[in-house]
């Protein structure tokens, strides 16, 4: 009975890839359904992934929000130092590792749709290897944080404290190499509920540890770093315990030597995915650094950090749709069903946009109040109030852009989107922000506005055009052939335990 239940849970929410007569009849029946019924069915599949993903992502990100809130009440310098270390240094590396791990959304999602279940565990192990080695290459960013921040014009006191915080966050850095792959492994086979439960548990532990270490043991900002490190490693061990103790019997059979084969091809796809997403993730991290060169830098950085924290908090919702869209598109393309992949894209974009509109209006309504949870400094609160309309516009645009990026991940378009991101963000958006901020002397408002309209809006427009013009049936044929070529590797590699 238990085995039958596990097999039922592992069944994809998509039609079988075999081109049988029954499947053709089913497609004809689907075509004859009313639009409302099709939207409802697709929405259920989408929310099956997005709902738990929203909970898990908000819980995970809320760890950073809690850390920022505690730091803000320690002092302005502490808030600026932790915000820069966490937003810029950790954020830069977070973006690259998260992007590299998103290769699993392509590979595991398409393999699951094609029912090549034996490959999912091998893909995850390959991702661990690649990301773990990459973590060592990124360590200099943490070790040399202080001189790097001084080089870009940060105040000496903020740079020194940021460097101390960055060193203490190195364990957090290495946790990303293991947390990201196991989460994508689970979500690709629609096992998102366990991610939500573990994330919520880790968040509760983080809140309690932060309070104890700061107010009971008086560890200050170092205590916040320790709490953040422990909480993220709880995420990995909790989720991996589920995998190892029978939660994924069809996709996990233990550690395998097969993880070390085909590494170069995996590295190339991971690198393309990393470049694609880190260019997006880095874009607004650079904004914090640019503001550091303005007058009254501490106040400007604090205000912008509050806005970026709110933006990042809300961003967990469209990022959940990013993940859900990537899985749905990858599953359908892996099953050879391009039409269903196209429809899934439409439903996801529409749903995420409506949610983005709600939060946009909410920010405008609470423009002079939402910053109180992070700071009680009057200058910071006033500066956040001035930036609230830019935050609202950013939230609205970010309700669409990640979903389109999810389509790219599910389809395997990472290389093309990486070039688009370079052009939109760093050839157009960043220079426009510099010109508006410094040449026209409009400060943080001009920098942020230039980067929004010159970068994010342009990239969203281009990705939208590409998605509309895509030949989805042709994409489905390419993916089916691609999945077959990747799975034409030795399938019965002995596990490391057996060897």
């Amino acid at each position: 009975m238990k085995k039958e239940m596990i097999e039922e849970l592992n069944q994809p929410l998509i039609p079988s890839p075999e081109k049988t007569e029954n499947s053709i009849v089913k497609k004809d029946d689907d075509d004859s359904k009313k639009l409302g019924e099709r939207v409802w069915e697709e929405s259920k599949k989408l929310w099956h992934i997005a709902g738990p993903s929203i909970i898990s992502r908000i819980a995970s990100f809320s760890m950073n929000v809690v850390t920022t809130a505690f730091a803000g009440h320690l002092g302005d310098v502490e808030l600026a130092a932790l915000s820069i270390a966490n937003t810029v240094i950790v954020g830069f590396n977070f973006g690259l590792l998260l992007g590299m791990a998103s290769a699993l959304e392509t590979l595991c999602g398409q393999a699951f749709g094609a029912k090549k279940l034996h490959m999912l565990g091998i893909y995850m192990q390959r991702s661990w290897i690649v990301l773990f080695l990459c973590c060592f290459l990124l360590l200099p960013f943490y070790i040399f944080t202080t001189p790097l921040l001084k080089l870009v014009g940060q105040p000496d006191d903020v740079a020194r404290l940021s460097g101390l915080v960055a060193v203490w966050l190195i364990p957090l850095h290495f946790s990303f190499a293991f947390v990201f792959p196991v989460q994508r492994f689970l979500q690709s086979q629609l096992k998102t509920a366990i991610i939500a439960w573990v994330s919520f548990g880790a968040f509760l532990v983080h809140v309690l540890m932060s309070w104890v270490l700061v107010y009971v043991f008086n560890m200050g900002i170092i205590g916040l770093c320790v709490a953040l490190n422990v909480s993220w490693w709880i995420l990995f061990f909790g989720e991996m315990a589920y995998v190892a103790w029978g939660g994924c019997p069809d996709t996990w059979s233990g550690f395998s030597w097969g993880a070390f084969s085909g590494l170069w091809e995996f590295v190339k796809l991971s690198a393309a995915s990393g470049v694609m997403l880190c260019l997006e993730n880095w874009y607004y991290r650079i904004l914090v650094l640019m503001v550091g060169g303005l007058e009254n830098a501490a106040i400007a950085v604090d205000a912008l950090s509050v806005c970026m924290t709110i933006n990042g908090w809300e961003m967990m919702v469209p990022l959940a749709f990013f993940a859900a869209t990537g899985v749905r598109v990858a599953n359908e393309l892996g099953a050879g069903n391009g039409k269903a992949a196209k429809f899934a894209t439409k439903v996801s974009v529409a749903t995420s946009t409506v949610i983005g509109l709600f939060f946009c209006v909410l920010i405008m309504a609470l423009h002079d109040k939402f910053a109180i949870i992070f700071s009680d400094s009057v200058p910071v609160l006033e500066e956040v109030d001035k930036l609230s309309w830019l935050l609202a516009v950013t939230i609205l645009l970010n309700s669409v852009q990640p979903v389109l990026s999810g389509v790219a991940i599910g389809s395997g378009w990472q290389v093309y989107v990486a070039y688009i991101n370079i052009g939109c963000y760093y050839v157009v958006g960043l220079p426009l922000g510099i010109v508006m901020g410094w040449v026209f002397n409009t400060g943080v408002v001009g920098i942020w506005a230039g980067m929004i309209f010159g970068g994010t809006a342009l990239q969203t427009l281009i990705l939208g055009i590409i998605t509309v013009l895509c030949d989805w049936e042709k994409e489905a044929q390419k993916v089916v052939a691609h999945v077959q070529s990747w799975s034409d590797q030795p399938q019965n590699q002995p596990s490391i335990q057996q060897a």
Side-chain angles (χ1 to χ4, degrees), residues 391-405:
L391 175 60
V393 173
T394 302
I395 286 175
L396 182 58
L397 283 174
N398 284 342
S399 67
V400 180
Q401 184 272 331
V403 179
L404 297 178
S405 293

Side-chain angles (χ1 to χ4, degrees), residues 186-252:
L186 289 168
Q187 77 181 22
S188 293
Q189 49 192 308
L190 313 181
K191 296 180 181 294
T192 51
I194 183 61
I195 303 177
W197 281 110
V198 174
S199 299
F200 183 70
F203 170 69
L204 295 180
V205 171
H206 179 71
V207 174
L208 179 61
M209 282 189 62
S210 297
W211 183 83
V212 170
L213 294 178
V214 171
Y215 292 110
V216 177
F217 292 99
N218 294 317
M219 293 179 64
I221 200 168
I222 302 303
L224 295 176
C225 295
V226 172
L228 203 55
N229 291 333
V230 172
S231 302
W232 270 85
W233 277 103
I234 287 175
L235 286 177
F236 169 69
F237 287 115
E239 291 161 3
M240 193 59 206
Y242 171 83
V243 174
W245 292 345
C248 304
D250 293 328
T251 54
W252 175 261

Side-chain angles (χ1 to χ4, degrees), residues 94-111:
F94 177 98
L96 180 60
L97 295 171
L98 179 65
M100 294 181 70
S102 71
L104 288 183
E105 294 182 12
T106 303
L107 296 173
C108 288
Q110 293 176 357

